[in-house]
Amino acid sequence: MLAESLFILLGTVSVVAALGMLIARNPVTSALWLILTLFCVAGLYLTLSAEFIAVVQVLVYAGAIMVLFLFVIMLLNLGALPQLEKMDWKKALGFVLCVIVLSQLVFIVATSLQLMPATATVAEDAGAATTIAKTLFTRHMLDFEMIGVLLLVATVGALMLAKRKFA
Amino acid sequence: MDVPYWLLAIIAFGVINFMLISASVLVYAERKVSGYMQNRPGPNRVGPGGFLQPFADVFKLMFKEDIAPRSASSFVHSLAPAVMVVIAMTVPAMIPFARGVVIVDNGVTVLIILALTSVSVYGVTMAGWSSNSKFSLLGGLRSSAQMISYELSMGLAVVSVVLLAGSLSVVEIVEDQARGGAILGWNVFRNPLGALIFVITAFAETNRAPFDLPEAEQELVGGYHTEYSGMKFGMFFLAEYVNWFVASFVIATLFFGGYLLPFEPQILAAYPGLDGSVLLGLLQALTLLLKVSFFAFLFIWVRWTLPRFKYNQLMTIGWKVLLPTALVNVLLIALVVVLFMG
């Protein structure tokens, strides 16, 4: 029950924050909204008892990548984007209502045709670091190594580009 | 680990208040020690030996007018100090103060500490950006560049500790250091290079001298908190001191045996009745505090001894010295763990 209400709360906040990121006209404000979204997603992982993924989400995305984003945005000192066009509130409201009605219809049709996926049961230790490590270093070893090589290539490529500019 | 929630809440309340009080004590300690280092008495008017000076300062800050620049982004401007304080106050939840006395232990606490350290840069960046002032912006920029650079080495130093302990939980890392008798099991003796790197990066992550470029007063006035006044400035001040205290806690816990008494196995063998008693818990908490006091003192000592690095020196040390050393250290520790401890 607690997990469910937390899920709804975090999901709503993350969607609202994502919208805020799109609507915000200032790049720094956009980045701050995105950070809020990332934190909410980390919270969603927590409700699925995947502590490791949640912490890594905060550590990598919020802690490293977004800091770099903010740093670059602030360094370039980007101006505010042009104002959004005046929104037609009637159209927006109509769109939201349409989405709600459509999802209700899809839900009813899907349940009557028994197309709804069964509620997945998560194993107790599915989110533990050891479980993830085991699958990562046995079954997905090749993918893991390939990502490593890919990142290395990207780093070398970035260095090459940076060097050429100043040479 | 089935501690009732109300007990956890009481411990957490105690820890938060302890952190708040110790921040004041640290301010006093810093001013007094720096005074002695510069051959002057330091604060000595308010209370016995000037001990009440930081409390007087806090009251002064509370009654000061809170001024925000007109062109500042007001919400972010107010949010930044809160972010700083909240993040600084969250880390102690992961620190075990004695055997079994810890607020959070969910198996990935070391990672949570690292995540909080890396997230704490947002407070500085937001303050720097939202103030809409050149000095603040430069301070924020410097701070984020510095934190990104030193976070990697810090993470790698922690990885070497995690490899030795075979666990991501702070409690298990401390208990792992109990092996090897006396004090030789402490990570500083098994992993001296990692300890050195971690201490240096801890200085950089807390923005303390010699890494305090984000608030280099000669160039940047007050750095990221130039445009803050009153209690908002007080919160930055508080967060800085709590960060420094917490960093001492983390250093002591990860590398200096945490709450473990020196010669604990021998003491327990001599007095078997002590095992699991409240007295042992108190002794452990006292030991941790003594270790932490030493590192807190080390922070002051270094600050008033070493001059500040230049920006290029800062980057050279971070990327060309600490990072390769940390990588080699992780490789060596991993080899040792695989070859000799498997």
Side-chain angles (χ1 to χ4, degrees), chain B residues 210-226:
Chain B
F211 297 100
D212 57 347
L213 283 104
E215 41 192 316
E217 56 271 2
Q218 290 87 347
E219 309 142 36
L220 294 178
V221 192
Y224 56 89
H225 52 59
T226 307

Side-chain angles (χ1 to χ4, degrees), chain B residues 109-120:
Chain B
T109 35
V110 175
L111 285 182
I112 299 183
I113 291 180
L114 272 183
L116 286 171
T117 346
S118 54
V119 166
S120 69

